[in-house]
Amino acid sequence: MADANYARNVTVSVKITTEKNEFLLTYDTEEQGSKDTYFKKLSTGEISDGIISLTTENQMSNDMGTFNLVMVGTQRWENLLTSNDIVEIRINPSRPSKVDNDLIMVGMISEVRMIGQYGENSAVYQVNGNSMSKAITQMSLGTIQELNGLMGDAGWMYGIPGISQNDKGQYTETDGKNSAGTSVGSDNKSITQLSFMGQKASGIIDQLMKWFLFQHSSYQYANNRSISDYFELNLSSRPEEFLTDPTNITSYQGSLLQLIKDSAATPYNEIREDYYTDSEGNAKEIFYLRPTPFEYSDWNSLDAYSVSNNEIVERTVSRSDTEAYSIFETPIPSNIIPNTDGSLLANPVYFPSLTSKYGFNLLSKENKYIFRSEYDNSSTSSSSGTSLKDGGAPITSADVSSIQNATLRWTDKKNITVDSLNDFMNKYGVPSNSPFRGNGSYFINAGNASGLNPVYILAHAGIESAWGTSNIAQSYHNYFGIYAFDNNPDNAKTLSSNGVESGIINGANWISKNYYQKGHTTLNEMKAAGYATDPNWATSIASVMAGYYAREKFSKSNKKDSNPFAQTSLGDDSLLGNAIKAKKGKSTLPADSVLSQSIGLSNGLSPDSLLGQSVKKEKDKAKQKAEKESSKKKEQDANDNINKQNLKKYSMYLANWYADNSSFTSGEIRVVGRPGYRVGNILIITDNSEVTQSGDSVMWKFYIEGVSHEFSLTSGYTTVLTVTRGLQSDITGLDRFKHYNQAVAFTGGLFGEANLATLYSKSVSLQNDGSGSDSNDSSDNVSSGSGGDDYPDKWRNATPDSMADTWNYYNRECVSFCAWRLSKSGVSPTLFSSLGNASNWGLKRSQYVTKTPHVGDVAWFSPGWGGAGGAGHVAMVTKIDGNNVNLDEYNWENLHNFHQRTVSISSVTGFIHFK
């Protein structure tokens, strides 16, 4: 029966478009007569060019479709065709009736090769290529890896319209977006800016395609069409999608296609290709994104194709339990730090009947679009100091504690002048041999260059360098202690300058870039970020600044100003003298009380007095701050509730779709050729060989994940369908949605261990007490040997990725091993916990990244650097040997075991120096 179907009148048409020409090749059974006649005409040259065979393949699991043509004739195709020329393939098996859509491929040539002679006058050529998605695969994105690793959250895309960085060095966007999240060009094929924050997968992919491919590529063809004319975007997402962290997009290194696939959030969404002819006769590839049909309504809305047994040429299908899962989880995205440590946000679900067979067989898939985080996307465009969002308020009083928490930005230029700085240094005991005396202009220039407050720059330089008279200051003109480590102060020469002014400016710029722009915008924040080890460091600098503001600014400001310090008399030397004594540990007064005692502030002030009004103002500020924190806490709690609901909802999606994997049939079904089959729809087979109890034919339903078309002069035209999720209905009584929404919450304790809540509480307590290592627990059985495999047995002996460690990393991963080593060395767990993939470590802790290694540092390899994969890699530095470093690590080259090696310093993206 099948052989008779092969004899249908098949018409094949291949159109090839180059930059300058168009070629059309056809095969028509009716016109060419029998196969023997056709072969004879080809061999004698009566037909100048013809088609012997073709194959097209479109698989949802592949990056892109493929095609293969075997052509014969007198044309010398290797001279006429080249890579990226367009090929359109149509096939119609139903002449004279025309099918609705006969286009089975539109793509780009990859190779043209002569494979032999056919008779005296003709040559045989093989033309291979891919679908139009080849253009996306060829386009690579990124910049120099070293630069990318230091760019912060905005990554290398910084400067593209719509993308910038705020004063914390964080990703931010401009306004003016339409409902799709982009500013659309007049042709609807272009956009004027990029905007990722808050977007769905569909909105992000739409922008990536339009910006990078349609607007920044130069494919042009003879028919006056460009690359965008061969694409149509059909993109949709679920309503709850909302991207909160765009870092992985804006710093991406790789092909545009891979970025699009990473942005699609599979398996929750599906990417597929299709081909059609528009109303003007133009061939196009439709690039689809849609939610995976997890639910009844989604599944039942898919198009269906019906075939009977007589149309099936060959069927190779089977059932397998190789992917039979019992527990399903949508976890917190690895690149996001949760808002709160108050509770476990994970919401896995499971089927007890399946765990009794398969145990802890977990299917865990992230979805970065459904988790709300605290990621700050606010823009900080104000320079007036009235609406700053940079972590500290403008300085409005000469109070030491408030100055420690005030912004270091230069917010008020009116009362900070060269004269005021010189006057301050003359009156407040700056040594006469100080190179700063009389050079207030140096600090004004440094403020203009760095954006930092010149008063802060002066105070910091004064405290760190003994007002420019220390040996390091005089030798290297390094006035801020930069790179001057306690065990190696001479390392300050790393940031040496050729003069006093350049040293002050260079130091201020370095602090601005490496601290202020990284979010450490106050003295206390700089101290917490590790700038100094002296516990009085922030207080000492703030005390000097208070001396300036108490006399040089607030006492000389507008006389009508009701500033409480305008009428306060302070001893000229008390502030600076006491601050210096506090710095040297000789003062009998607490450093932060110097200013308070100088003013004489007490709790018995009249509410109507100037100082009383100031106290009331501070109380009001404290109240506003408390209300703001309370509001933020409510917002975080609301986000956490949304997160819990979404994580459970999407865990249930996975359970609904994959729970019955072992019951489903999958494989390949070859049917009589038909161009209408399309990926992502349903195949219904009516099996006449079996009947139900009611006497009806048995029906099978499959999900089509691949369509391949094959044609040759000898075998005719057939279509091979790659099918999954096949289920026989009626006769077995099986229901595709038998377990739909029937999974229950997984609380742990599957093998008698503590439940998840107890384990979570234990992990939080370990992190909070700073131990992290659980070193007193004899069950750890830590291996001995310095520099060897000391990773705890409880994680080392477990299956890779089967359990989380104390710091929220999966066991036997590189990040878990480094977290273990850091905890042993006394680094605070707050610095290295929950950072996500290794690729994030250097980005999220960029303030600690240096090019100079130290023993105990984390060697950080960003994706693609030094042989690292897409998730990056981290290892521990155990020895420095000239231009090389020795490393201890886990999971190098995906082996999930301990490993040691020596690499060159230049092969490492950077070294994270937490100490």
Side-chain angles (χ1 to χ4, degrees), residues 709-730:
H709 296 282
E710 298 178 7
F711 167 78
S712 74
L713 295 178
T714 56
S715 302
Y717 172 38
T718 58
T719 301
V720 178
L721 304 175
T722 302
V723 294
T724 62
R725 320 198 67 75
L727 198 63
Q728 189 179 5
S729 59
D730 297 334

Side-chain angles (χ1 to χ4, degrees), residues 603-671:
N603 292 329
L605 294 170
S606 166
D608 295 329
S609 68
L610 291 174
L611 282 175
Q613 292 176 26
S614 178
V615 171
K616 180 178 183 301
K617 185 176 180 181
E618 292 302 317
K619 287 182 177 179
D620 289 341
K621 283 185 178 180
K623 182 179 179 181
Q624 292 174 2
K625 182 179 180 181
E627 290 174 349
K628 184 177 180 180
E629 290 177 351
S630 175
S631 175
K632 183 178 181 181
K633 180 64 169 59
K634 290 179 181 178
E635 182 180 352
Q636 289 178 350
D637 290 343
N639 278 344
D640 285 343
N641 288 332
I642 294 173
N643 290 335
K644 288 180 180 180
Q645 294 170 11
N646 280 342
L647 293 178
K648 183 175 182 179
K649 176 180 179 180
Y650 279 74
S651 295
M652 192 68 75
Y653 277 155
L654 293 180
N656 292 342
W657 192 244
Y658 293 103
D660 285 315
N661 262 10
S662 58
S663 301
F664 293 134
T665 300
S666 60
E668 292 186 346
I669 299 175
R670 183 183 294 271
V671 298

Side-chain angles (χ1 to χ4, degrees), residues 223-293:
N223 53 13
N224 293 321
R225 298 177 76 190
S226 64
I227 195 73
S228 64
D229 294 314
Y230 284 97
F231 275 98
E232 182 172 306
L233 304 180
N234 191 320
L235 312 171
S236 61
S237 294
R238 290 188 176 89
E240 61 267 23
E241 289 188 354
F242 185 95
L243 186 68
T244 56
D245 183 357
T247 305
N248 288 348
I249 297 175
T250 59
S251 59
Y252 191 84
Q253 301 267 349
S255 75
L256 177 58
L257 177 61
Q258 193 58 51
L259 175 55
I260 288 172
K261 292 180 68 175
D262 289 347
S263 301
T266 56
Y268 305 98
N269 296 315
E270 294 178 336
I271 286 179
R272 61 191 177 94
E273 300 172 325
D274 202 352
Y275 317 101
Y276 91 113
T277 305
D278 65 17
S279 58
E280 298 178 355
N282 297 316
K284 288 190 174 183
E285 173 180 311
I286 309 177
F287 195 86
Y288 279 100
L289 175 82
R290 73 173 183 196
T292 303

Side-chain angles (χ1 to χ4, degrees), residues 205-218:
I205 293 174
D206 179 78
Q207 294 179 75
L208 293 175
M209 288 286 287
K210 290 177 178 176
W211 185 268
F212 291 107
L213 185 64
F214 296 174
Q215 295 174 233
H216 290 85
S217 63
S218 57

